Amino acid sequence: MTPADERAPAANPPSVRQAKRRRGSPHGDAPAFEPAPRKRKTPYRAPQRSSRLYVKLASADFALFKFLLEAHGHLGIMTVMDRHAAVAKLSYSPDCEREMRAFLEEAETSVAFEVIDF
C-alpha cells in the first residue's frame, strides 16, 4: 500500500436515497415496490346554512367581545346589527353549537351581555 492510498478516503457506502432508488429500478436486485392503494375518505359535507345568535351588549364592549370570539379559534363571525341598540349577530356552523354555547358561558365572566331570542 502506498502513502497516497492511505490518505485517500474510504469509498462512501450508498446513501439511503440511492438504495431506495436501486430497489425500485427495473435493473436493481429487488422487484419494484408498489404501495397499497389509499383508502378513500368520505368527504366532509358542509352545512348549507349557518346558525345565528343575537347578543345585546354595551357598545363599548363590542371590540372585546369580538376579540374573545377570535381568540377561541374563530368559532364564528360577529356582525354589528345596530350600534345604537348595541345588538350583534353571531354566525357560526351548526356543527359548533356546543363550542359556541361553552364560549358564551365563559365570555360572561369578562363581558356583560344577554342572548336575544328572535
Side-chain angles (χ1 to χ4, degrees):
M1 198 179 220
T2 65
D5 291 336
E6 290 175 13
R7 283 184 262 137
N12 291 335
S15 68
V16 175
R17 181 179 275 172
Q18 291 171 342
K20 285 183 180 177
R21 264 193 227 134
R22 273 196 217 121
R23 271 189 258 136
S25 70
H27 304 293
D29 298 334
F33 173 74
E34 291 188 28
R38 291 184 178 190
K39 292 182 180 178
R40 292 189 60 102
K41 294 181 181 178
T42 56
Y44 172 73
R45 300 204 68 177
Q48 297 296 318
R49 294 180 181 258
S50 296
S51 293
R52 294 184 221 50
L53 282 174
Y54 293 91
V55 178
K56 182 172 179 62
L57 63 155
S59 58
D61 293 334
F62 276 126
L64 178 60
F65 191 81
K66 187 170 186 171
F67 174 74
L68 291 172
L69 184 62
E70 290 174 358
H72 278 268
H74 294 279
L75 274 178
I77 299 170
M78 185 180 108
T79 306
V80 177
M81 299 303 290
D82 186 359
R83 66 184 175 131
H84 300 292
V87 176
K89 176 176 77 171
L90 299 176
S91 301
Y92 59 95
S93 172
D95 298 336
C96 297
E97 177 84 28
R98 190 172 13 148
E99 291 88 350
M100 181 59 79
R101 296 290 178 178
F103 161 73
L104 292 174
E105 288 177 15
E106 186 178 327
E108 279 182 326
T109 60
S110 302
V111 180
F113 66 89
E114 87 179 78
V115 177
I116 303 171
D117 293 327
F118 269 83

